[in-house]
Amino acid sequence: MSRARAAARLRVPLVSLLAALVAASAVLLGAGSAQAAGYRYWSFWEGNGKNWEYATQGPSLLRPDDGTVQGFRFAVSEDSGDADQPRRAPDFGAICADTPTEDGKKRVALVIDPGTTTDAPDGEKPPALRTACARVAPDASSAEALAAVAKPLRYDDSAMLCAISGYPKTGCGEQVSGDSGSAKPSEPAKTTDDQDKDQSKDKSEEGDGGGPSVGLLVGIGAVLLLGIAAVVQARRRR
């Protein structure tokens, strides 16, 4: 076989190989740039004395004891594993310091965190984080304790909590496209005066674009190495 014919036969598998490499790289890049979908909702938390734990029951079912601290955080999350915690520590003593005990009543400390502008529905501005000490009947549920200090509340037909103190005005657990992030520790509590700073920070975070991950680059490198090895092997067989 002449060298020209051998080179011609070699070009066909090389073209096919290069096409496969381009397709594989496109798939890997597409997988890396795909963003996970999350849900915008009020998550419900229980304080264990030092930290927050995601509640295993809904606020309408849970009946907290006297001295309990509970939290509500509005954010976009994929599930309970990556949900954002309330940004204030569950400190019953500090929250209920100005609410004295009363016979026939229990006190439940509440942290109500509407989240940041990043997670807010379009056209809405989250109110400032606040705390409250609800003094309610001994058999009151968490939902009743919340209603005592944060009306109006809004629920959907399945009894899912949609709004606290009227926020947000619309929507309830809707799916939101985008990178919801991973679980993060509680940030320092924000006051009303900090809202403008939060908005500036949130806008800058929204502009950040995520680059390819390390795993993605390793995958592309492996595909290219396999391609090079195939080319070398093909030349040896000429």
Side-chain angles (χ1 to χ4, degrees):
M1 180 184 300
S2 67
R3 179 167 298 181
R5 291 181 60 188
R9 293 184 60 182
L10 181 59
R11 278 196 294 270
V12 175
L14 284 178
V15 171
S16 299
L17 176 60
L18 289 174
L21 288 174
V22 171
S25 299
V27 171
L28 288 172
L29 288 171
S33 62
Q35 294 181 328
Y39 296 87
R40 182 183 287 120
Y41 68 101
W42 280 100
S43 57
F44 179 40
W45 302 81
E46 294 183 273
N48 61 11
K50 294 182 179 180
N51 303 307
W52 291 108
E53 296 177 353
Y54 200 90
T56 57
Q57 290 181 290
S60 61
L61 298 176
L62 190 61
R63 299 187 182 278
D65 296 328
D66 179 73
T68 298
V69 187
Q70 299 186 323
F72 295 86
R73 171 68 190 266
F74 189 77
V76 175
S77 309
E78 291 181 54
D79 51 40
S80 61
D82 85 321
D84 290 326
Q85 300 178 3
R87 294 171 294 165
R88 178 162 294 180
D91 189 340
F92 177 85
I95 297 172
C96 289
D98 297 328
T99 305
T101 59
E102 183 179 312
D103 292 341
K105 299 285 187 178
K106 68 181 177 182
R107 294 180 300 166
V108 179
L110 299 171
V111 175
I112 303 170
D113 186 352
T116 68
T117 54
T118 301
D119 295 324
D122 291 341
E124 295 202 50
K125 176 182 177 181
L129 180 153
R130 71 186 183 95
T131 62
C133 187
R135 191 163 50 193
V136 292
D139 63 344
S141 67
S142 300
E144 291 172 318
L146 181 64
V149 298
K151 288 182 179 179
L153 305 180
R154 178 165 56 87
Y155 292 87
D156 67 2
D157 295 338
S158 63
M160 179 177 181
L161 180 61
C162 304
I164 298 177
S165 297
Y167 179 78
K169 296 178 181 179
T170 60
C172 192
E174 65 272 20
Q175 189 173 21
V176 180
S177 298
D179 186 2
S180 63
S182 57
K184 297 179 287 293
S186 298
E187 302 170 5
K190 302 295 188 302
T191 63
T192 305
D193 295 336
D194 294 325
Q195 291 294 308
D196 294 337
K197 295 179 181 178
D198 281 342
Q199 291 180 16
S200 298
K201 179 179 178 182
D202 293 336
K203 289 180 180 179
S204 65
E205 290 176 350
E206 289 173 356
D208 292 339
S213 65
V214 174
L216 173 63
L217 296 176
V218 171
I220 294 175
V223 172
L224 293 176
L225 287 175
L226 289 174
I228 293 172
V231 171
V232 172
Q233 186 66 21
R235 288 180 175 177
R236 289 178 177 176
R237 293 175 177 176
R238 286 189 300 173

